[in-house]
Amino acid sequence: MRHPLFLTALIAAGVIAGLCSVAWAKDETAGWITTWASSPSLPIEKLPLPFWKPAPEVQGTVRYTLRISAGGDQVRVRLSAETLPQDLLVDHATVAVADAQGHVAPGAFRTLTFDGARTARVPAGAPLVSDPLDLPVEAGAVLVVSLHLPQPVTVPQADNNHHTDILPGDDRTEAVALNGARTEDAREIVSALLVHAGAQGRTIVAFGDSITDGFGAKDRLMRGWPDQLAALLRAKGRRDIGIANAGIGGNRILRGEVGPSALARFDRDALAVPGVTDVILLEGINDLGLSGLPTLRTSATHPVVTAEDIIAGYRQLIDRARARHLKVHGATLTPAMGATFPGYATPEKEAVRQKINAWIRTGGAFDDVIDFDAAVRDPAHPDRIRADYDCGDHLHPSDAGYRAMAEAALAVIAR
């Protein structure tokens, strides 16, 4: 008979596994890494902003065209209903390797299964990972994932670099082209792609807000500096390092509003990511920018945030990552003066940003520092982004700016 303490330990271990994004059997975890990711967010109530659009309803065939970072000999797809108010029903799901432009050849589609079944129900608030599929994929390949949803579901809005092609009606998950489909900017129901990359494979989580999510990037298959970093790693022959983009537009360290706060989602979006060894933390500019401004949902104002508040949040995230034996790379906050959002950047807030960056550079709390601020600032006006690195809103980088950030990250990651 087992000792009661032994049984208690087994029960506790099961509970912990259930709280993670997916419970893995020990022999199934080896070699699996995350090659693409999109953090589940929350629907946003109507905002007084010109780019706001209502959360779209999707039904029928839903298709995502995604560029992966690392390659492998098997694929798994992670579906998410973690921020949805109702169960997600899927009666057919396929994946196919496409060409560089996202075109799929006839016969390339492979059916995904879930515990051996072609159909799946994802309970509201939960994720679901597909069975492994024998499908060799190259690092940097483009994959097309298609789902047929027999019942409608409302999904959160997203920045302009999250594209969902939707064709109502019958199952077209094996169609080469979705003629007549509409495209929505919406958070993906597919929250991650996993590949079996072998013993040397690992995942770097890029954790942050819209500057990590890639707002302003022009290429729909290159979401900002994380995808640019993945391309640079591949060019150096590192084709087994997955980059998991855990950016959410509008996200903050301390408080939720546009997606759960960093402190609330860090376990799900960083610590529980398959294969994770490193986290690059770039977040806090929205805490600072929204400090003292009216909230998005009520007539109240956001609490005033100090450098000490944000640093305390960083320390919490660092401690939680270190408990999992992960490296944490601190990234300096990029310039925001001139931002087109009223009240977002002021001389007073700029002084706080400089104080935060000084702590990141010299405080010794991070394993090392990636100086994104130095990579994109205007030498003549260091409180502003360089003109050629600015997407136009004086807050988010352009593709050239994201490339400069990726090069700064590579210099640290490749040491």
Side-chain angles (χ1 to χ4, degrees), residues 211-239:
I211 296 175
T212 292
D213 202 21
F215 181 88
K218 301 301 182 185
D219 185 345
R220 66 178 288 181
L221 295 179
M222 294 292 285
R223 280 169 55 208
W225 68 263
D227 279 355
Q228 298 270 13
L229 173 60
L232 292 175
L233 286 167
R234 291 194 295 271
K236 291 181 69 70
R238 294 309 311 269
R239 310 181 74 81

mmCIF file of all heavy atoms in Angstrom, residues 211-239:
data_model
loop_
_atom_site.group_PDB
_atom_site.id
_atom_site.type_symbol
_atom_site.label_atom_id
_atom_site.label_comp_id
_atom_site.label_asym_id
_atom_site.label_seq_id
_atom_site.Cartn_x
_atom_site.Cartn_y
_atom_site.Cartn_z
ATOM 1 N N ILE A 211 3.968 46.340 -28.799
ATOM 2 C CA ILE A 211 5.281 46.478 -29.431
ATOM 3 C C ILE A 211 5.909 45.103 -29.626
ATOM 4 O O ILE A 211 6.675 44.885 -30.561
ATOM 5 C CB ILE A 211 6.179 47.420 -28.602
ATOM 6 C CG1 ILE A 211 5.568 48.823 -28.583
ATOM 7 C CG2 ILE A 211 7.600 47.473 -29.155
ATOM 8 C CD1 ILE A 211 6.307 49.810 -27.690
ATOM 9 N N THR A 212 5.565 44.154 -28.790
ATOM 10 C CA THR A 212 5.981 42.764 -29.005
ATOM 11 C C THR A 212 5.024 42.063 -29.964
ATOM 12 O O THR A 212 5.451 41.279 -30.818
ATOM 13 C CB THR A 212 6.048 42.021 -27.660
ATOM 14 O OG1 THR A 212 7.126 42.567 -26.882
ATOM 15 C CG2 THR A 212 6.274 40.524 -27.849
ATOM 16 N N ASP A 213 3.741 42.346 -29.851
ATOM 17 C CA ASP A 213 2.750 41.727 -30.741
ATOM 18 C C ASP A 213 2.971 42.132 -32.197
ATOM 19 O O ASP A 213 2.523 41.442 -33.113
ATOM 20 C CB ASP A 213 1.350 42.118 -30.280
ATOM 21 C CG ASP A 213 0.277 41.159 -30.748
ATOM 22 O OD1 ASP A 213 0.607 40.005 -31.073
ATOM 23 O OD2 ASP A 213 -0.894 41.566 -30.787
ATOM 24 N N GLY A 214 3.648 43.267 -32.420
ATOM 25 C CA GLY A 214 4.014 43.664 -33.776
ATOM 26 C C GLY A 214 3.094 44.668 -34.419
ATOM 27 O O GLY A 214 3.032 44.753 -35.647
ATOM 28 N N PHE A 215 2.384 45.474 -33.622
ATOM 29 C CA PHE A 215 1.511 46.502 -34.191
ATOM 30 C C PHE A 215 2.315 47.404 -35.121
ATOM 31 O O PHE A 215 3.396 47.875 -34.773
ATOM 32 C CB PHE A 215 0.879 47.345 -33.084
ATOM 33 C CG PHE A 215 -0.053 48.406 -33.595
ATOM 34 C CD1 PHE A 215 -1.388 48.125 -33.803
ATOM 35 C CD2 PHE A 215 0.410 49.686 -33.873
ATOM 36 C CE1 PHE A 215 -2.260 49.099 -34.275
ATOM 37 C CE2 PHE A 215 -0.449 50.660 -34.346
ATOM 38 C CZ PHE A 215 -1.777 50.374 -34.556
ATOM 39 N N GLY A 216 1.773 47.657 -36.308
ATOM 40 C CA GLY A 216 2.441 48.511 -37.275
ATOM 41 C C GLY A 216 3.265 47.779 -38.300
ATOM 42 O O GLY A 216 3.676 48.370 -39.300
ATOM 43 N N ALA A 217 3.536 46.479 -38.080
ATOM 44 C CA ALA A 217 4.282 45.692 -39.066
ATOM 45 C C ALA A 217 3.443 45.543 -40.330
ATOM 46 O O ALA A 217 2.232 45.346 -40.263
ATOM 47 C CB ALA A 217 4.651 44.330 -38.496
ATOM 48 N N LYS A 218 4.072 45.614 -41.476
ATOM 49 C CA LYS A 218 3.349 45.576 -42.748
ATOM 50 C C LYS A 218 3.173 44.164 -43.287
ATOM 51 O O LYS A 218 2.214 43.884 -44.006
ATOM 52 C CB LYS A 218 4.077 46.433 -43.787
ATOM 53 C CG LYS A 218 4.224 47.902 -43.388
ATOM 54 C CD LYS A 218 2.880 48.552 -43.141
ATOM 55 C CE LYS A 218 3.037 50.032 -42.801
ATOM 56 N NZ LYS A 218 1.739 50.650 -42.443
ATOM 57 N N ASP A 219 4.100 43.265 -43.001
ATOM 58 C CA ASP A 219 4.035 41.897 -43.499
ATOM 59 C C ASP A 219 3.196 41.069 -42.543
ATOM 60 O O ASP A 219 3.557 40.883 -41.383
ATOM 61 C CB ASP A 219 5.445 41.321 -43.623
ATOM 62 C CG ASP A 219 5.478 39.939 -44.259
ATOM 63 O OD1 ASP A 219 4.427 39.285 -44.349
ATOM 64 O OD2 ASP A 219 6.575 39.500 -44.659
ATOM 65 N N ARG A 220 2.065 40.538 -43.002
ATOM 66 C CA ARG A 220 1.157 39.807 -42.119
ATOM 67 C C ARG A 220 1.776 38.530 -41.589
ATOM 68 O O ARG A 220 1.265 37.952 -40.626
ATOM 69 C CB ARG A 220 -0.152 39.500 -42.839
ATOM 70 C CG ARG A 220 -0.047 38.549 -43.995
ATOM 71 C CD ARG A 220 -1.405 38.269 -44.630
ATOM 72 N NE ARG A 220 -2.242 37.437 -43.782
ATOM 73 C CZ ARG A 220 -3.464 37.031 -44.115
ATOM 74 N NH1 ARG A 220 -3.996 37.401 -45.264
ATOM 75 N NH2 ARG A 220 -4.166 36.262 -43.303
ATOM 76 N N LEU A 221 2.857 38.047 -42.176
ATOM 77 C CA LEU A 221 3.515 36.830 -41.702
ATOM 78 C C LEU A 221 4.729 37.134 -40.827
ATOM 79 O O LEU A 221 5.430 36.217 -40.403
ATOM 80 C CB LEU A 221 3.934 35.961 -42.886
ATOM 81 C CG LEU A 221 2.790 35.405 -43.729
ATOM 82 C CD1 LEU A 221 3.332 34.582 -44.892
ATOM 83 C CD2 LEU A 221 1.843 34.560 -42.890
ATOM 84 N N MET A 222 4.986 38.414 -40.561
ATOM 85 C CA MET A 222 6.133 38.800 -39.726
ATOM 86 C C MET A 222 5.631 39.748 -38.649
ATOM 87 O O MET A 222 5.547 40.963 -38.853
ATOM 88 C CB MET A 222 7.213 39.464 -40.571
ATOM 89 C CG MET A 222 7.871 38.554 -41.582
ATOM 90 S SD MET A 222 8.894 37.256 -40.827
ATOM 91 C CE MET A 222 10.325 38.202 -40.326
ATOM 92 N N ARG A 223 5.301 39.191 -37.470
ATOM 93 C CA ARG A 223 4.732 39.976 -36.386
ATOM 94 C C ARG A 223 5.846 40.634 -35.571
ATOM 95 O O ARG A 223 6.202 40.218 -34.478
ATOM 96 C CB ARG A 223 3.879 39.096 -35.482
ATOM 97 C CG ARG A 223 2.486 38.825 -36.024
ATOM 98 C CD ARG A 223 1.781 37.749 -35.247
ATOM 99 N NE ARG A 223 1.698 38.008 -33.826
ATOM 100 C CZ ARG A 223 1.625 37.059 -32.894
ATOM 101 N NH1 ARG A 223 1.644 35.787 -33.256
ATOM 102 N NH2 ARG A 223 1.540 37.367 -31.632
ATOM 103 N N GLY A 224 6.402 41.711 -36.104
ATOM 104 C CA GLY A 224 7.307 42.542 -35.327
ATOM 105 C C GLY A 224 8.654 41.917 -35.022
ATOM 106 O O GLY A 224 9.129 41.025 -35.712
ATOM 107 N N TRP A 225 9.267 42.406 -33.941
ATOM 108 C CA TRP A 225 10.643 41.996 -33.643
ATOM 109 C C TRP A 225 10.768 40.513 -33.297
ATOM 110 O O TRP A 225 11.813 39.914 -33.607
ATOM 111 C CB TRP A 225 11.247 42.881 -32.545
ATOM 112 C CG TRP A 225 10.658 42.733 -31.172
ATOM 113 C CD1 TRP A 225 9.707 43.501 -30.600
ATOM 114 C CD2 TRP A 225 11.022 41.756 -30.193
ATOM 115 N NE1 TRP A 225 9.423 43.059 -29.330
ATOM 116 C CE2 TRP A 225 10.225 42.004 -29.046
ATOM 117 C CE3 TRP A 225 11.935 40.705 -30.164
ATOM 118 C CZ2 TRP A 225 10.314 41.222 -27.895
ATOM 119 C CZ3 TRP A 225 12.024 39.922 -29.018
ATOM 120 C CH2 TRP A 225 11.223 40.181 -27.903
ATOM 121 N N PRO A 226 9.775 39.842 -32.676
ATOM 122 C CA PRO A 226 9.968 38.406 -32.417
ATOM 123 C C PRO A 226 10.158 37.592 -33.699
ATOM 124 O O PRO A 226 11.030 36.712 -33.766
ATOM 125 C CB PRO A 226 8.695 38.012 -31.662
ATOM 126 C CG PRO A 226 8.257 39.278 -30.987
ATOM 127 C CD PRO A 226 8.552 40.337 -31.995
ATOM 128 N N ASP A 227 9.350 37.854 -34.729
ATOM 129 C CA ASP A 227 9.529 37.129 -35.988
ATOM 130 C C ASP A 227 10.816 37.547 -36.690
ATOM 131 O O ASP A 227 11.464 36.737 -37.359
ATOM 132 C CB ASP A 227 8.327 37.355 -36.905
ATOM 133 C CG ASP A 227 7.149 36.456 -36.560
ATOM 134 O OD1 ASP A 227 7.304 35.596 -35.671
ATOM 135 O OD2 ASP A 227 6.073 36.613 -37.162
ATOM 136 N N GLN A 228 11.183 38.821 -36.550
ATOM 137 C CA GLN A 228 12.462 39.265 -37.113
ATOM 138 C C GLN A 228 13.624 38.556 -36.405
ATOM 139 O O GLN A 228 14.610 38.155 -37.047
ATOM 140 C CB GLN A 228 12.603 40.777 -36.951
ATOM 141 C CG GLN A 228 11.546 41.592 -37.679
ATOM 142 C CD GLN A 228 11.951 41.960 -39.090
ATOM 143 O OE1 GLN A 228 12.908 41.427 -39.639
ATOM 144 N NE2 GLN A 228 11.219 42.893 -39.679
ATOM 145 N N LEU A 229 13.514 38.383 -35.083
ATOM 146 C CA LEU A 229 14.546 37.653 -34.336
ATOM 147 C C LEU A 229 14.621 36.209 -34.796
ATOM 148 O O LEU A 229 15.718 35.655 -34.969
ATOM 149 C CB LEU A 229 14.250 37.729 -32.837
ATOM 150 C CG LEU A 229 15.152 36.876 -31.924
ATOM 151 C CD1 LEU A 229 16.613 37.277 -32.060
ATOM 152 C CD2 LEU A 229 14.687 36.987 -30.464
ATOM 153 N N ALA A 230 13.476 35.578 -35.009
ATOM 154 C CA ALA A 230 13.468 34.193 -35.480
ATOM 155 C C ALA A 230 14.178 34.077 -36.823
ATOM 156 O O ALA A 230 14.943 33.128 -37.060
ATOM 157 C CB ALA A 230 12.032 33.689 -35.591
ATOM 158 N N ALA A 231 13.947 35.039 -37.719
ATOM 159 C CA ALA A 231 14.601 35.005 -39.025
ATOM 160 C C ALA A 231 16.112 35.161 -38.879
ATOM 161 O O ALA A 231 16.895 34.501 -39.583
ATOM 162 C CB ALA A 231 14.034 36.107 -39.914
ATOM 163 N N LEU A 232 16.559 36.035 -37.972
ATOM 164 C CA LEU A 232 17.997 36.214 -37.759
ATOM 165 C C LEU A 232 18.630 34.952 -37.176
ATOM 166 O O LEU A 232 19.751 34.583 -37.550
ATOM 167 C CB LEU A 232 18.236 37.407 -36.826
ATOM 168 C CG LEU A 232 17.883 38.792 -37.389
ATOM 169 C CD1 LEU A 232 18.044 39.858 -36.312
ATOM 170 C CD2 LEU A 232 18.759 39.131 -38.596
ATOM 171 N N LEU A 233 17.927 34.283 -36.273
ATOM 172 C CA LEU A 233 18.445 33.033 -35.711
ATOM 173 C C LEU A 233 18.566 31.964 -36.787
ATOM 174 O O LEU A 233 19.560 31.223 -36.831
ATOM 175 C CB LEU A 233 17.532 32.554 -34.577
ATOM 176 C CG LEU A 233 17.619 33.335 -33.266
ATOM 177 C CD1 LEU A 233 16.464 32.979 -32.345
ATOM 178 C CD2 LEU A 233 18.952 33.070 -32.564
ATOM 179 N N ARG A 234 17.565 31.873 -37.659
ATOM 180 C CA ARG A 234 17.646 30.895 -38.743
ATOM 181 C C ARG A 234 18.833 31.198 -39.663
ATOM 182 O O ARG A 234 19.522 30.283 -40.132
ATOM 183 C CB ARG A 234 16.343 30.890 -39.554
ATOM 184 C CG ARG A 234 15.155 30.332 -38.793
ATOM 185 C CD ARG A 234 13.989 30.019 -39.709
ATOM 186 N NE ARG A 234 13.430 31.211 -40.352
ATOM 187 C CZ ARG A 234 12.472 31.970 -39.840
ATOM 188 N NH1 ARG A 234 11.971 31.686 -38.641
ATOM 189 N NH2 ARG A 234 11.997 33.004 -40.502
ATOM 190 N N ALA A 235 19.083 32.481 -39.909
ATOM 191 C CA ALA A 235 20.202 32.858 -40.769
ATOM 192 C C ALA A 235 21.542 32.460 -40.159
ATOM 193 O O ALA A 235 22.522 32.236 -40.888
ATOM 194 C CB ALA A 235 20.174 34.359 -41.040
ATOM 195 N N LYS A 236 21.577 32.356 -38.832
ATOM 196 C CA LYS A 236 22.799 31.930 -38.145
ATOM 197 C C LYS A 236 22.850 30.409 -37.970
ATOM 198 O O LYS A 236 23.713 29.888 -37.271
ATOM 199 C CB LYS A 236 22.899 32.611 -36.778
ATOM 200 C CG LYS A 236 23.161 34.113 -36.852
ATOM 201 C CD LYS A 236 23.283 34.722 -35.482
ATOM 202 C CE LYS A 236 24.549 34.267 -34.766
ATOM 203 N NZ LYS A 236 25.774 34.831 -35.374
ATOM 204 N N GLY A 237 21.897 29.707 -38.573
ATOM 205 C CA GLY A 237 21.889 28.254 -38.499
ATOM 206 C C GLY A 237 21.164 27.682 -37.306
ATOM 207 O O GLY A 237 21.117 26.457 -37.139
ATOM 208 N N ARG A 238 20.545 28.538 -36.460
ATOM 209 C CA ARG A 238 19.790 28.055 -35.302
ATOM 210 C C ARG A 238 18.336 27.865 -35.714
ATOM 211 O O ARG A 238 17.519 28.765 -35.599
ATOM 212 C CB ARG A 238 19.915 29.022 -34.126
ATOM 213 C CG ARG A 238 21.302 29.119 -33.550
ATOM 214 C CD ARG A 238 21.908 27.737 -33.227
ATOM 215 N NE ARG A 238 21.041 26.866 -32.462
ATOM 216 C CZ ARG A 238 21.031 26.803 -31.136
ATOM 217 N NH1 ARG A 238 21.861 27.563 -30.437
ATOM 218 N NH2 ARG A 238 20.227 25.965 -30.516
ATOM 219 N N ARG A 239 18.019 26.690 -36.219
ATOM 220 C CA ARG A 239 16.706 26.398 -36.759
ATOM 221 C C ARG A 239 15.857 25.582 -35.794
ATOM 222 O O ARG A 239 14.770 25.110 -36.164
ATOM 223 C CB ARG A 239 16.858 25.692 -38.107
ATOM 224 C CG ARG A 239 17.805 26.426 -39.052
ATOM 225 C CD ARG A 239 17.951 25.760 -40.402
ATOM 226 N NE ARG A 239 16.775 25.955 -41.245
ATOM 227 C CZ ARG A 239 16.529 27.052 -41.946
ATOM 228 N NH1 ARG A 239 17.359 28.084 -41.885
ATOM 229 N NH2 ARG A 239 15.455 27.135 -42.712
#
